[in-house]
Amino acid sequence: MLTPKQNFLETLKKDGKPDRLANNYTAFKPVGGDPVFQFVRGNRIRGTYSYDRWGTYIAFPEDQPAATPIVTAENQVIQDIEEWQKYVKVPDLRGNCSEGWETALANKAAIDSEKYFSTTVMGTGIFEQLHMLMTFEDTLCNLLLYPDEMHELIDVITEYRLEYMKLIVENLHPDAIISHDDWGTKTSLFMAPDVWREFFKAPYKKLYDYLHANGVLIVHHSDSFCEPIAEDIADTGADVWQGVLPTNDILSISEKLDGRMALMGGIDSGVDRADATEDEIRAEARRVCEKYGHLKHFIPSITYGGPGTIYPRVGDILIDEIDRYNKEKYGI
């Protein structure tokens, strides 16, 4: 029997031989405590309201499952895109995060590297950083109305994110990085595919080329409808597109990719509710296994950008049902 890590790697290979379906995030163990994450997102504490390092207002009420940026025309960081340099102050990652890696290194050392990927989660991708610096409407309009300025700003954010990755690799060197950037709604992209290609494809290839050159597995999270750009995501070097909503044509995408990138998701997060019954949760996991389990490069998973669910029992049941399917189908 392959370990979760070995089985996941076999699922990624063009002609791999996994012995069962990989199961959600069970092959990944997050490495907590890295100083970059703490520096960038340490203000996101339940029950607080604060500003992040870029100057974006962050709300995290007690009754919310996660923190939310609140960006309005009045409080947006960039008040004039033509003078964006006047407003944007890029956080100094290297100056503030070169030390203090002891906790993260100890956490990584405690992970069984034969069984699991040591993993770092990097939230707030390039597009997300843009719409945290200005309103969502301004972000989309500025891509069309001020392309030169937006290219300049994206270049700056890309270099910032590359510096983030370099600090992680140099100091921690995890097996995998889950890199976040959401590019669409449940049923459509936020922008035309050619606009995405013009502004975001090359920056992400630059970032992911660096990670590949350093032997890091790339799991790109986008719980969105990204069907029109799935092959482009593979071109950036992402090993896995995680967060594939069931509104995407997973069968067609898998056929077109032909093993260039694995697909991870398919489970409708609508089952992650306090009132969801065990039968309902199991039925959704079973549906996904039966519909997509024959695909060579598919991992059934909740579409969230990291391990776990809002209601922990939901995640436990999903994992257990996929284990049941594997036992029935593969005897493992």
Side-chain angles (χ1 to χ4, degrees):
M1 178 178 174
L2 298 173
T3 68
K5 180 179 180 179
Q6 291 167 339
N7 193 58
F8 197 98
L9 288 172
E10 288 296 316
T11 302
L12 300 188
K13 292 177 183 177
K14 174 76 172 178
D15 297 309
K17 295 179 172 57
D19 59 14
R20 62 197 184 279
L21 291 180
N23 189 344
N24 277 275
Y25 284 99
T26 55
F28 296 85
K29 295 292 184 183
V31 179
D34 82 74
V36 191
F37 188 92
Q38 294 299 319
F39 178 72
V40 173
R41 298 171 77 89
N43 68 306
R44 297 183 174 214
I45 301 169
R46 187 179 300 279
T48 66
Y49 300 82
S50 61
Y51 290 88
D52 71 8
R53 300 291 179 178
W54 292 82
T56 300
Y57 183 64
I58 305 294
F60 198 168
E62 288 284 356
D63 59 351
Q64 280 190 188
T68 304
I70 305 296
V71 183
T72 67
E74 292 72 32
N75 76 2
Q76 63 184 346
V77 173
I78 298 175
Q79 292 292 326
D80 182 349
I81 188 61
E82 292 184 280
E83 297 185 356
W84 66 266
Q85 299 94 333
K86 173 181 174 182
Y87 300 99
V88 174
K89 309 300 180 192
V90 182
D92 180 7
L93 296 181
R94 194 162 291 273
N96 288 279
C97 307
S98 294
E99 299 179 352
W101 291 86
E102 295 81 9
T103 298
L105 286 167
N107 290 339
K108 181 190 175 187
I111 296 171
D112 185 337
S113 61
E114 294 295 319
K115 293 183 178 180
Y116 308 108
F117 296 100
S118 58
T119 306
T120 297
V121 178
M122 289 182 57
T124 315
I126 298 170
F127 176 69
E128 292 168 339
Q129 188 62 70
L130 288 172
H131 67 74
M132 288 177 67
L133 292 172
M134 61 192 105
T135 65
F136 206 88
E137 295 83 356
D138 280 359
T139 300
L140 295 177
C141 290
N142 288 340
L143 289 171
L144 302 179
L145 298 175
Y146 298 95
D148 292 342
E149 289 82 356
M150 290 296 276
H151 274 296
E152 293 170 357
L153 181 55
I154 286 170
D155 286 345
V156 168
I157 294 171
T158 301
E159 289 304 311
Y160 162 84
R161 197 158 177 83
L162 180 60
E163 187 73 354
Y164 191 152
M165 290 177 175
K166 287 180 177 179
L167 283 163
I168 293 293
V169 170
E170 292 167 9
N171 291 282
L172 192 58
H173 210 296
D175 298 318
I177 285 180
I178 301 174
S179 172
H180 285 216
D181 210 5
D182 291 332
W183 295 319
T185 68
K186 185 176 181 179
T187 56
S188 67
L189 286 169
F190 289 131
M191 65 201 79
D194 282 345
V195 174
W196 181 90
R197 294 181 186 112
E198 176 186 348
F199 287 95
F200 300 102
K201 187 171 180 178
Y204 269 100
K205 188 173 190 310
K206 178 177 183 177
L207 296 176
Y208 293 168
D209 281 351
Y210 169 78
L211 292 180
H212 271 164
N214 286 276
V216 178
L217 181 77
I218 302 161
V219 179
H220 183 91
H221 165 77
S222 185
D223 51 350
S224 318
F225 180 85
C226 291
E227 184 177 328
I229 59 169
E231 293 176 270
D232 299 285
I233 299 173
D235 290 341
T236 68
D239 298 297
V240 182
W241 168 19
Q242 189 282 326
V244 184
L245 297 178
T247 47
N248 292 276
D249 188 341
I250 294 172
L251 296 173
S252 174
I253 295 169
S254 179
E255 182 179 359
K256 290 176 182 177
L257 289 173
D258 192 27
R260 294 173 54 216
M261 177 177 70
L263 301 175
M264 183 174 176
I267 295 176
D268 191 333
S269 60
V271 299
D272 190 12
R273 310 186 317 273
D275 64 345
T277 66
E278 180 172 339
D279 286 346
E280 180 184 1
I281 298 164
R282 289 190 182 278
E284 175 60 11
R286 180 66 59 150
R287 177 193 69 81
V288 171
C289 290
E290 291 179 346
K291 186 171 184 178
Y292 308 118
H294 66 285
L295 300 175
K296 289 184 177 180
H297 312 287
F298 176 76
I299 302 101
S301 171
I302 195 76
T303 54
Y304 299 154
T309 47
I310 296 172
Y311 299 94
R313 62 179 283 272
V314 175
D316 292 341
I317 294 169
L318 290 172
I319 290 170
D320 184 68
E321 185 61 27
I322 296 169
D323 282 342
R324 288 188 183 186
Y325 177 87
N326 280 333
K327 182 69 173 178
E328 296 168 13
K329 183 78 172 178
Y330 304 103
I332 297 174

